[in-house]
Every structure is written in structure tokens, then in C-alpha cells.
Amino acid sequence: MRSVSRRACIIAAALALTATGLAGCGGGTSGESGKTFKILQYENASTAQGQGWQKALEIFKAKHPDVKVEFQQTSFDAFRQNAKITLSGNDVPDVVEFNKGNADGGQLAAQGLLEPLTDQVTKNGWDKKVTGSMAAFAKYDENGHAGTGDWYGIPNIGEYVMFYYNKAKFQQAGIAKLPTTLAEFETAMDKLKAAGQIPISSSANTSQGFNQMWIWYSLVSALSTRQQIDDFMFVKAPVDFHSDPWKEGAERFQQWIDKGYVGDKLGGLSFEQATVNFLSGKTAMLIWNNGEFARIRKDAKFDWGYFTLPGAQLSMGSSGHLWGVPAKAKNKDLAYDWINTTLSPEVQNLIGQQGGLPLAGDTATISDPVTRQFTERFDQLVKADTLSFYPDYPVPGFLDFIQTHMQAMSNRNETAAQYLDALQKFYDDGTKR
Amino acid sequence: MRRSYWWYLLPIGIGFTAVVAVPFAANVVLSFFRWKGGIAPLHWNGFGNYSDLLHDANFWLSFRNSVFMIVAIVVIPTGAGILLAATLVDYLGKRFGARAASFLRATYYLPQILPIAVAGFIWSWILDPGSGSVNTFLRSVGVSDPPDWLGSPSLALYSVMLMLVWLQLGYPLVIFMAALSRVDPELYEAAAIDGAGWWRQFGAITLPTVRPEIFIVVLTATVAALKVFAPILILTGGGPEGSTLVPSYYAYRNFFELSQVGYGSTIATVMAVVIFGVAAVLLGWQRRVERRA
């Protein structure tokens, strides 16, 4: 018995020591928390936005020399999937980058995980810099629906979807000038087909195969009014997917698949593979947003250009991802100052110089003519209020759902009518939930 | 005296309680609620989630796909592993020396030490319908329209299975080769002198020798097959058209994509019960066979 109690004492002592050690560690961290400012974000440092934020970091550190700044890197997918866990813990970052839309930002806002920013927006004049459709996905109501309610996030940049094209392939196919209407665009694609080209590089993998979804939604947007898109996006009024623009958009999309405008065997391809196929000269066009502008500029070994879908009433695009302040953040004032810094002219104009489509930059200060022209096109779209956002924003799980049906249509296992039936049910169920 | 040994179990007991028992209990409790996650309110749902699960075609599809995962992770690698181990030890080892056999064993084991994300990306490029090496090879031998391995709903499940076989094969092989090193080589020589051919020796000496290891491999691999996740996430994301959906991925999708945490917990709870059940049956079977032997 004596040996048992001695062992028990040793184990108990070891456990007590461990527990004391852990308690010591915890105490130490909490004592320093006032001086450590944690930024959690997922932009690559080599992107325009990433470079802008490095500049913001310099400015911020100079303004707050006593604060230890932790600039933490994560990935879009990792944060998207772990956001609820990260933000509901006790040791949360002070400012985070998050994805917009009812499925992401809306959920976080409705669950009380993000701090409402409306007072700060007015106080700091952020609403003067982030306006119109660029502000639409910064606000969420108590159900997590975008468009109205408190501000929960602040974007720095914008996005728009375009067709990058290979000029040599257009010439070989006898396309003398760029199409200006949807019908002309289809004629151009017929010419490319006749010349043995795959007109558009696309993809429809469940994982990261977004191109088909963007083609479909670009067609819907092209045929939509502002009101129709807003009803769908902000769940303002019931949407009948069996009427136009949804019906014609889906049917036209199916015709594009059947006519071979987008190539075939897309179900296993990701957007990265679609981009590589365009860059390696296997396809004449690539549908993507400004995210690949810098890469195509650097890596394309051919003369290229870009245009938004010709004849479209609205074009796909939105604000970029948002800065938010976790409800449990310990240094909220510093977080507001960080957001202010990222919206400062110095940071915004640097983002603009790098082709990053800043929301509060001065396009006239962009010295490179190609980048300036590209940014001017974005400014035009924002000014005309013709950006139609991304289709997966309104309902949680929509991205997965749309992707699955894009695969089915691309594999010719589903018709446009069947897709619209499924879409109606998913949207209605999801927006009622 | 025996009572004193219980103290040695204390650390693992604490670890098990903190890492397995408490989260599992929390998971079971959550399965009775509707919950969006975060600090959203919990809504009592009784057995509602379980009743929904019974009528959920996606869940049953994922369950059916688990059977295919068992074929790819348990049946084929275990069968092929025994044959390969026997070939490497009996034939190649004797002919080309133990170092050659060790080298080959290491090459089969290599996929096991590769990070799953790397292995997944390698296979997604190999199976790329356009420029992947499989289709490039098929085109070079005259196949004009090679298949879309990961994009076709009728093929993707088999493509994933192929990758899983490749990934898994090294594990039973290494275990069976270690087991076969227990056999006295004279036994094979004596059997050969008595006129037993390779297959006869395989059935009479090799198989009975590795029987305990077969149980271990079948048990661990079956559990792995029932909770397979990462290869699906990386290769297909459950697609195309849901054809490669498996229960753990479906639970994950409900947790993170659809914000239906309660329903995700229900799937996880049901799968945990299934895995406990299957493990208990396999252990019982092993004990019965051992007792008979």
C-alpha cells in the first residue's frame, strides 16, 4: 500500500506541476494582450492587395510603436470553414478578413460573432469611400441577409469578371473586331469553333471548378435588370426561376455547352487547370476576374486583351473580401485604426498601381496605361451600378449546390429545366430557413 | 498489487476523457438540437435530425459509397498485400537478395508517408482529362476520346478507389513482410522437398503465419475506410454530382458549408456507432478464430 501511495503522490505532484505551468502560461498571455494586436487575413503578400497591406502595416506600426503587431496568414478555405470556431473562442484575433455573402459574412453577423461597425463607419467616414453596390455586402440584418442592417465589414477593393482573350487566335479565326453584342459574341465563338479552337477555357469540378458557374451567371446577369438581381441577391421579393432572365440564361448556357463553346470533360477540372489551359494556348478565352490579371500579364506568352461580356445589362463583380472586428476582440480601437489605415490614400493608391481595383484610390494616379484602363473599366461598372455580385451569396450551401448542378449540366446529365426546378426549391427552402 | 497498475492508466484516462469522451458526448447532445453554430441559439429538435437522416437520400448514398471505400482500403490492399509480401519474401528476396526486397517494400510504402494533400494533387494532375499522364498515354496508343476520370459521375468513384488502393497498399505489405520474417525458411524448403508448389506453400505456411496481422490490418483499415475524408476533399469534393460523397465528408459539409451543426453531429454520431459496431464484430470474430486455433 505504501508503494501505491508514493506513486500516487508522484503522479499527483506531476499533474499539479503541469497544471501550475499551464496556469502560468495562461496568466502571462492575458497580461500582454493589451499590447499585442492580431490581424488574421488570407491575401497572398504578392498580390496587389497583399502589397497594399504590407504598406498599411508599416504605417500602422509607425503610429503605434508600443504595440506588437502579429500579421497572421491563413487561407481563404481554412478561414471560411473555421471562422465560427476561430471567432467564438476566447483568444480571437483583433481584426479578421472574411468572405462576403449571406452564406459567410451573414452567418457570422447573425450569430453575433462580429462587432457591428455602423457607429465607426459614420465616425470615420468609411461610408464616403465604400458606396453603392460596393457597400451592399458590408451590411447584414439580424437574419444574416445582406443589403440592410448594420455594417459588419469594410472592403478595400473591388472585383469584376471578364473574358481574357488570345489575340492571335481571334485573328486566325477571322474575328476582325471585338464583339459588341451577345449575338456577335456567339458568332465569334462559332468562328473560333470553325477554326478548330475551344472558345472559352472553363471548369466544373466540385472543388474549385468555378468557371462554368461564372459563365452561367454572367449570362443571367447579361439579361437582368438591377431589380431582378437585387430581388435574388438580397431576398427582397420572391424569385421565379422559371421566367427570364433565369430561364433564358440557363437555356443559353446549355446551348453553349452543346455547341462546344466551353470545351468538354469539365467535371474534373478546377479553375487553376482552366487558367493553365488558356495560358498554354489551348483555348481562345478564359472567364475569370481581376484575380488573374497580374498572372496573365506576367505569364502569357502571347498578345492578349480582355473585355466584359458584350451586350450585357449587368456584369458579374462585387466588392472584395471584408475586414471585420470579432465581437470578442480585445483591441477594438486599434482594429478601427487598422481599417482606417487600409483605406488611406497611400495604401489605396499603391493597390491601384498594382492593378488591385481600390475602392478609395485615385485612378488618375496609376502610371501604367494598361492597369489604368483596366481600373477605369471597373470604375465605369461601379458608377453605372451594373455589378451583379456572385451567385452563391444568398443562401448557405449555395456554392456546393450550384457547383453540383454545373457539373451535371456540363456532363449532359441534367437539362436547363431540371436545373431551374432544383434551383427554385433550394433557394426557396434556404431563404425561408 | 494489481490495483496499483490502475495508476498507470491515469494519464491516458485524462487524455481520453478530454480528447475523445467529452467531445463525443457533446456531439451526441448536439445531435438533438438544431444549431447554426457560433453563439447562435440552440433549438431542441428531439429525434428530428435522426428521423431526417433516415429519409436523406444523400446520407444513404454516402453510406453506400462507404462499401466501395472498404473494397478500396481493406479488401484489395489486404489481398494484394499478402500476395506481394509473399512474392517479395519468397521469390524476389531469395533471387535478388534481401536489400532488393527492402527497396521494393519501401517504394510500396512511399505513398503512406506522403502528405495526403500532396498525393491528392498529384493524382488530380495524373487524372486530368486534358493533359493528365493517363489520358496522354491513352491518346498515344490510339484512344481518341479518353474518359474524364474525376469528372464523370460513373467513373469518379472508381478513380478515387484506384488512388486509395495506391495509397493503402504499402501498409499491409510492410506489416505482412514483418510477419513473414518470423517463418523459419527451412519450413518452405521442407515443403518444397515434399513437392508443395508456391500456391500450396502460400496456403499452408504463409497465410496461417500472417493471420493475426490480417486481423489487425482488416480492423484498422475498415475503421479508416468508414471515416475516409481527406482524399475526397482534395480529389472530388464529393462530386461529380455527389457520386463520391462519403459520410465524413457529408458531415463536414453540414457543419461548415450548410451551417447545420446539429445535423452534422447526427451524421457523425451515427457513423461513430457504426464504426464501434463494426470494430466490435471484427474483434469478436478474431477472438473466436484464435480460440478455435
Side-chain angles (χ1 to χ4, degrees):
Chain A
M1 273 310 285
R2 195 190 283 170
S3 65
V4 173
S5 48
R6 194 186 300 151
R7 268 188 211 121
C9 285
I10 293 167
I11 292 165
L15 283 173
L17 274 174
T18 317
T20 317
L22 286 174
C25 293
T29 314
S30 65
E32 287 170 7
S33 64
K35 290 177 194 164
T36 305
F37 180 63
K38 288 184 199 158
I39 302 165
L40 183 63
Q41 57 84 44
Y42 45 75
E43 298 304 330
N44 192 320
S46 65
T47 61
Q49 200 174 3
Q51 290 183 46
W53 291 354
Q54 289 304 316
K55 179 79 186 164
L57 210 52
E58 271 174 39
I59 301 170
F60 186 83
K61 281 179 179 172
K63 263 166 88 179
H64 303 280
D66 296 336
V67 174
K68 186 181 162 213
V69 183
E70 277 182 21
F71 191 77
Q72 297 170 347
Q73 182 78 31
T74 181
S75 73
F76 172 75
D77 283 334
F79 187 72
R80 203 170 162 251
Q81 283 149 10
N82 297 324
K84 280 174 214 153
I85 297 166
T86 308
L87 300 184
S88 53
N90 288 324
D91 187 21
V92 300
D94 294 305
V95 63
V96 291
E97 184 186 13
F98 67 93
N99 189 28
K100 57 224 175 279
N102 299 0
D104 291 282
Q107 294 277 310
L108 300 177
Q111 287 164 17
L113 295 169
L114 292 172
E115 182 75 14
L117 300 174
T118 309
D119 292 346
Q120 292 300 323
V121 166
T122 326
K123 190 176 153 196
N124 293 292
W126 295 336
D127 50 354
K128 306 278 184 299
K129 297 178 175 177
V130 181
T131 55
S133 60
M134 293 297 105
F137 281 91
K139 298 174 204 164
Y140 295 92
D141 67 13
E142 65 279 8
N143 296 316
H145 291 158
T148 54
D150 270 321
W151 287 68
Y152 282 94
I154 307 294
N156 285 165
I157 63 158
E159 299 176 0
Y160 72 112
V161 169
M162 65 203 85
F163 287 87
Y164 295 95
Y165 74 103
N166 182 324
K167 288 185 177 171
K169 288 190 185 294
F170 269 49
Q171 266 169 14
Q172 284 160 18
I175 304 164
K177 63 178 186 65
L178 286 181
T180 55
T181 64
L182 205 50
E184 280 178 25
F185 186 56
E186 287 178 339
T187 310
M189 290 199 285
D190 286 331
K191 286 183 180 169
L192 286 163
K193 275 292 294 173
Q197 305 287 349
I198 295 171
I200 306 173
S201 206
S202 194
S203 70
N205 196 326
T206 313
S207 177
Q208 312 269 309
F210 304 125
N211 302 65
Q212 282 290 83
M213 177 172 75
W214 289 14
I215 292 174
W216 161 69
Y217 190 64
S218 288
L219 277 167
V220 171
S221 304
L223 306 161
S224 290
T225 62
R226 177 84 264 164
Q227 186 63 45
Q228 285 169 320
I229 288 297
D230 286 354
D231 286 348
F232 164 71
M233 204 44 79
F234 304 116
V235 198
K236 280 182 169 171
V239 180
D240 178 7
F241 290 97
H242 295 93
S243 64
D244 290 337
W246 306 97
K247 186 170 182 287
E248 194 186 338
E251 284 171 356
R252 213 138 174 178
F253 176 61
Q254 190 173 28
Q255 285 166 17
W256 283 23
I257 294 169
D258 292 342
K259 286 181 178 173
Y261 291 166
V262 291
D264 62 354
K265 297 191 175 65
L266 304 176
L269 292 186
S270 67
F271 77 82
E272 170 61 21
Q273 285 156 307
T275 307
V276 169
N277 285 342
F278 173 69
L279 283 170
S280 59
K282 287 181 184 154
T283 55
M285 286 181 277
L286 169 73
I287 182 168
W288 202 250
N289 63 10
N290 46 295
E292 291 292 340
F293 180 78
R295 178 180 175 190
I296 288 169
R297 217 171 160 194
K298 186 168 137 280
D299 292 347
K301 302 281 182 279
F302 48 82
D303 202 7
W304 60 279
Y306 61 90
F307 53 85
T308 49
L309 184 59
Q313 298 184 139
L314 274 76
S315 300
M316 269 187 84
S318 77
S319 66
H321 298 145
L322 310 163
W323 282 120
V325 180
K328 290 187 175 181
K330 294 190 183 87
N331 300 302
K332 287 180 183 159
D333 286 335
L334 286 173
Y336 305 142
D337 193 41
W338 167 256
I339 295 172
N340 242 339
T341 312
T342 63
L343 284 175
S344 67
E346 280 163 289
V347 173
Q348 287 283 303
N349 286 336
L350 175 68
I351 291 174
Q353 287 286 350
Q354 306 295 324
L357 306 180
L359 293 188
D362 181 0
T363 306
T365 62
I366 299 173
S367 48
D368 173 60
V370 179
T371 307
R372 193 171 58 241
Q373 193 189 26
F374 164 76
T375 312
E376 280 166 356
R377 177 67 184 133
F378 171 69
D379 293 344
Q380 277 170 10
L381 291 168
V382 174
K383 204 172 162 202
D385 195 19
T386 54
L387 289 176
S388 64
F389 312 109
Y390 290 83
D392 54 300
Y393 288 172
V395 187
F398 222 4
L399 182 60
D400 245 24
F401 168 86
I402 298 173
Q403 285 293 94
T404 301
H405 288 273
M406 287 295 111
Q407 282 185 322
M409 285 185 76
S410 304
N411 286 331
R412 321 274 170 95
N413 290 333
E414 187 173 80
T415 62
Q418 287 168 324
Y419 171 48
L420 293 172
D421 287 345
L423 187 62
Q424 187 78 60
K425 185 172 182 333
F426 194 91
Y427 182 85
D428 289 347
D429 289 351
T431 49
K432 272 180 214 138
R433 208 182 288 139
Chain B
M1 272 310 283
R2 284 182 71 111
R3 275 181 61 200
S4 66
Y5 290 114
W6 285 102
W7 288 106
Y8 290 101
L9 292 178
L10 191 64
I12 189 75
I14 294 170
F16 180 81
T17 308
V19 179
V20 179
V22 171
F24 180 68
N27 187 68
V28 174
V29 170
L30 283 176
S31 71
F32 295 108
F33 289 88
R34 275 188 295 112
W35 185 39
K36 280 186 166 184
I39 48 177
L42 287 151
H43 299 285
W44 175 253
N45 194 23
F47 283 95
N49 287 332
Y50 288 90
S51 136
D52 289 348
L53 196 64
L54 276 177
H55 304 103
D56 184 345
N58 278 333
F59 174 69
W60 290 110
L61 170 73
S62 73
F63 208 74
R64 183 201 72 125
N65 286 346
S66 282
V67 177
F68 286 87
M69 296 299 116
I70 290 173
V71 172
I73 295 179
V74 187
V75 179
I76 298 173
T78 309
I82 297 173
L83 283 171
L84 273 170
T87 312
L88 286 172
V89 172
D90 298 349
Y91 183 70
L92 290 171
K94 281 178 193 154
R95 196 131 185 218
F96 300 104
R99 291 181 70 175
S102 299
F103 174 75
L104 289 169
R105 178 180 60 191
T107 57
Y108 280 111
Y109 195 71
L110 191 67
Q112 286 271 312
I113 59 168
L114 271 184
I116 193 83
V118 174
F121 278 114
I122 291 172
W123 275 89
S124 70
W125 285 108
I126 291 173
L127 298 172
D128 181 307
S131 51
S133 52
V134 173
N135 279 5
T136 305
F137 168 76
L138 288 175
R139 273 189 216 98
S140 73
V141 296
V143 179
S144 60
D145 189 24
D148 184 0
W149 300 101
L150 291 171
S152 157
S154 55
L155 272 180
L157 187 61
Y158 301 106
S159 304
V160 171
M161 287 172 72
L162 179 73
M163 185 248 190
L164 290 173
V165 169
W166 170 83
L167 200 65
Q168 180 70 10
L169 187 59
Y171 168 63
L173 178 78
V174 165
I175 290 187
F176 294 148
M177 280 183 79
L180 288 176
S181 66
R182 287 201 303 263
V183 185
D184 185 348
E186 286 178 8
L187 213 56
Y188 284 112
E189 281 164 30
I193 291 165
D194 286 346
W198 192 87
W199 281 107
R200 184 86 180 87
Q201 289 178 32
F202 178 76
I205 303 169
T206 309
L207 270 185
T209 307
V210 299
R211 197 165 55 206
E213 282 77 10
I214 293 176
F215 278 116
I216 296 292
V217 166
V218 167
L219 176 66
T220 53
T222 305
V223 171
L226 288 170
K227 59 191 184 74
V228 68
F229 174 76
I232 300 293
L233 175 76
I234 292 159
L235 276 183
T236 61
E241 300 171 45
S243 60
T244 59
L245 198 63
V246 290
S248 56
Y249 188 80
Y250 191 43
Y252 162 87
R253 206 168 111 185
N254 275 281
F255 278 126
F256 296 109
E257 280 286 333
L258 303 174
S259 290
Q260 295 178 354
V261 178
Y263 197 60
S265 300
T266 310
I267 299 166
T269 305
V270 167
M271 285 318 291
V273 171
V274 168
I275 290 169
F276 287 143
V278 169
V281 168
L282 286 172
L283 285 170
W285 179 42
Q286 178 187 11
R287 207 166 288 167
R288 242 195 348 266
V289 171
E290 272 172 3
R291 227 177 279 148
R292 230 180 289 150

